[in-house]
Amino acid sequence: MLWFPGPRSVTGEDVAELQVHGSRAVTATLIATLSRMGLRLAEPGEFTRRAFLNRKFDLVQAEAIADLVAAETDAQRRQALRQLDGELGALYRGWSTRLLRTLAHLEAIIDFPDEDLPPEIEAQIAVEAAALVAEIDDHLADNRRGERLRDGIAVAIVGPPNAGKSSLLNALARREAAITSPIAGTTRDVIDVAVDLAGYPVILADTAGLHESADEIEREGLRRALARAEDAALRLYVFDARRPEDAAGAAAWPGRDTLLVANKTDLVGNARLPAGALPASALTGEGLPELVAALVQRISADYDASAALITRARHRQALEEALAALRRAGDATLPELRAEDLRLAWRSLGRITGAVDVEDLLDVIFADFCIGK
Ligand code: GDP
């Protein structure tokens, strides 16, 4: 038995750790004995919650623990670990601290007009608020990469009917990737398979073939296929290598996020393919390793970010609120209104890490200016 006296324990409380043999009989007897002593099993997340309440880490790190537990691929594990390291929380706390200081200075101007405050302070407040707007804006313009990495990077397989999209999906899922969860899609028209591609969580979506149709149900399938292709992080545009003219359909999604795949190369020999098309055969498996390599290269170029990424919609929403409030503060004419918007921005940021405390504001005011000494 190991005894960890608080506060230097995992939760900050006194913690006793029993190391026993793991058989059911031993653990069951131990738990029964402990319950008779008035102890109970922890609720889900209770240790993490207590640790958070005892300020062992912030909310962002608590979420990282949940992500680490749920991580299915190496890239997800790495992202969660990075967040657990405190990198993301430190970024948000850094902004929060700067915002608090700015707010404190503004409050000082409002509340203590008679004190001898440095004259350049008002200009400094505007400069700092503008800098924060630029930094938060930049952080938000990340194409949702962190959230996509957490939830799975959507790769839509699109192209004309019978090009071999379903066959390619099956071939990729079976031969080139480990399926991490069974078919998750619900609609008949879009089939999702979550796979682990070289450590990246990818959700391959097979879509209805792109073609003109008079049939209403087919048109709905087509509409969904197009919407899915639009939302996807990347697209594989698959066409029959015997019909190179079909490759032109990929022009609907210009740019490097669409990979052109000439399927059924087993049927064409050494025919010339459109420029940039990756030759593949879902039937024989030829070209698939190269296709996966190209896909992984595209993904790693985008997702191995050097800066910490937003990982949750909750964080994004709070950041957007903070940004909107900061922008309003910039436009405000009265110092009192500007202060109110800065305070709202600061609260939004504080909600991300779970640290919003009005006492902090007072501390900064008095520490920086020694007012009311
Ligand atoms: P989808 O409509 O684009 O999903 O196409 P399917 O995957 O249903 O394939 C259409 C037809 O082409 C089926 O008969 C497949 O067996 C065939 N097919 C798919 N891929 C290949 C391939 O690489 N080589 C050959 N020879 N046939 C293929």
Side-chain angles (χ1 to χ4, degrees):
M1 189 173 101
L2 301 174
W3 177 245
F4 301 92
R8 296 180 58 187
S9 67
V10 62
T11 61
E13 302 167 342
D14 291 345
V15 173
E17 184 178 305
L18 304 174
Q19 299 189 348
V20 298
H21 297 289
S23 70
R24 257 171 219 252
V26 171
T27 50
T29 308
L30 178 66
I31 289 168
T33 308
L34 293 174
S35 331
R36 273 200 300 279
M37 294 167 57
L39 303 183
R40 64 168 175 82
L41 292 173
E43 310 274 349
E46 189 171 354
F47 281 100
T48 311
R49 186 191 176 105
R50 288 186 181 205
F52 165 68
L53 290 175
N54 287 320
R55 294 176 178 260
K56 285 286 165 180
F57 42 67
D58 62 29
L59 263 190
V60 174
Q61 283 167 306
E63 285 168 331
I65 294 175
D67 286 352
L68 201 54
V69 172
E72 286 187 324
T73 74
D74 198 49
Q76 287 171 320
R77 179 187 65 82
R78 277 184 279 135
Q79 173 160 286
L81 265 187
R82 219 172 146 172
Q83 189 172 326
L84 188 58
D85 257 0
E87 193 179 337
L88 206 52
L91 178 69
Y92 300 148
R93 264 193 308 280
W95 285 337
S96 193
T97 306
R98 283 164 56 194
L99 193 50
L100 189 60
R101 184 168 301 268
T102 310
L103 175 58
H105 292 179
L106 187 56
E107 296 271 351
I109 294 175
I110 297 167
D111 291 347
F112 306 102
D114 302 332
E115 296 277 335
D116 267 344
L117 300 172
E120 67 278 6
I121 257 194
E122 233 162 319
Q124 275 172 4
I125 291 171
V127 167
E128 183 70 338
L132 284 166
V133 165
E135 286 172 44
I136 297 175
D137 204 22
D138 196 46
H139 183 58
L140 278 167
D142 64 350
N143 216 357
R144 297 181 195 273
R145 281 175 296 160
E147 289 141 288
R148 283 179 156 167
L149 197 56
R150 191 172 156 261
D151 299 337
I153 301 157
V155 175
I157 304 181
V158 291
N162 284 320
K165 297 182 295 300
S166 308
S167 309
L168 191 67
L169 174 94
N170 286 333
L172 285 175
R174 223 176 306 125
R175 297 186 212 164
E176 302 298 331
I179 297 186
T180 55
S181 45
I183 290 170
T186 45
T187 70
R188 283 216 312 266
D189 319 291
V190 181
I191 310 249
D192 288 343
V193 183
V195 298
D196 178 340
L197 276 191
Y200 295 97
V202 166
I203 299 174
L204 287 172
D206 181 21
T207 60
L210 308 172
H211 66 295
E212 302 283 332
S213 172
D215 183 284
E216 201 170 319
I217 295 174
E218 278 198 350
R219 278 210 308 270
E220 174 60 17
L222 188 58
R223 199 190 58 73
R224 290 182 191 189
L226 287 170
R228 186 55 88 83
E230 204 56 51
D231 289 349
L234 294 169
R235 282 159 291 273
L236 294 181
Y237 185 91
V238 183
F239 64 97
D240 188 326
R242 292 170 299 180
R243 300 172 51 88
E245 66 276 15
D246 281 357
W253 299 279
R256 48 191 207 116
D257 290 340
T258 305
L259 300 183
L260 208 51
V261 182
N263 188 37
K264 309 195 190 183
T265 47
D266 54 294
L267 299 178
V268 295
N270 284 332
R272 274 179 62 85
L273 298 173
L278 296 157
S281 167
L283 189 72
T284 65
E286 216 177 333
L288 295 189
E290 291 79 7
L291 172 57
V292 169
L295 202 53
V296 167
Q297 197 189 5
R298 282 289 308 115
I299 293 173
S300 65
D302 266 359
Y303 289 83
D304 289 352
S306 51
L309 297 169
I310 302 171
T311 54
R312 289 187 183 237
R314 184 181 81 79
H315 304 174
R316 179 173 300 280
Q317 195 185 346
L319 288 166
E320 279 168 353
E321 282 167 18
L323 187 63
L326 272 169
R327 289 204 161 115
R328 278 198 310 274
D331 297 337
T333 42
L334 290 174
E336 286 80 0
L337 295 179
R338 182 169 307 149
E340 184 55 24
D341 282 327
L342 290 182
R343 194 175 297 112
L344 286 175
W346 174 66
R347 281 197 171 279
S348 297
L349 283 180
R351 269 205 305 280
I352 305 179
T353 53
V356 180
D357 193 342
V358 194
E359 287 306 308
D360 295 355
L361 184 56
L362 299 174
D363 289 346
V364 179
I365 292 190
F366 291 105
D368 266 28
F369 292 108
C370 301
I371 286 160
K373 50 189 174 281

